[in-house]
Amino acid sequence: MFLSCSNHMFLQLHFGVNSGATRFAIEHQAFNEATFRCPDELGWKPQKVPIIPEDGSISRTRETSLPIHEITKSLAKMCYEVMTSDDAGRFVCNYVYYHSLRFAEQHGIKSLFVHVPLFLTIDEETQMQFAASLLEVLASLY
């Protein structure tokens, strides 16, 4: 999702499912590491490979420039089960977020990744309300 607020703040917002999660997780960073537990759609199954080799080792991280603790607190005040996270995994979600954070840094925009639980854990209606509330919180920041 690519969003633009009235004062021209651009934001790339991504959602991914964490099947083991019991709450929403606002991701702080992504690692330059691709380690896939199963092959992607093209059959690629990297193991401890840098996502962007020119960025250096797999321990390299990129962080969002958004105030995730403030965002998390605002959402918690709205009674959502939400937390901050420093680990987006090493699978597809981390891969997407790393690329997005790199692109955001290069183009002077913002990027955020949110992990959501399965609908069996938090129902679809609540997740849709959470997404709308998150957009309101993000809009209020700028």
Side-chain angles (χ1 to χ4, degrees), residues 16-80:
V17 176
N18 176 352
S19 61
T22 58
R23 62 181 74 184
F24 301 102
I26 309 296
E27 298 293 347
H28 177 243
Q29 65 184 3
F31 287 83
N32 187 30
E33 178 185 342
T35 297
F36 292 8
R37 65 182 175 273
C38 58
D40 69 7
E41 294 297 316
L42 298 176
W44 188 48
K45 188 180 175 186
Q47 298 298 306
K48 296 187 178 185
V49 174
I51 294 170
I52 306 289
E54 327 55 282
D55 279 3
S57 77
I58 60 174
S59 63
R60 165 85 152 85
T61 60
R62 290 189 181 272
E63 299 177 0
T64 184
S65 58
L66 289 165
I68 63 161
H69 295 292
E70 183 180 330
I71 293 166
T72 302
K73 284 180 188 176
S74 295
L75 291 165
K77 285 180 186 175
M78 296 176 190
C79 298
Y80 292 107

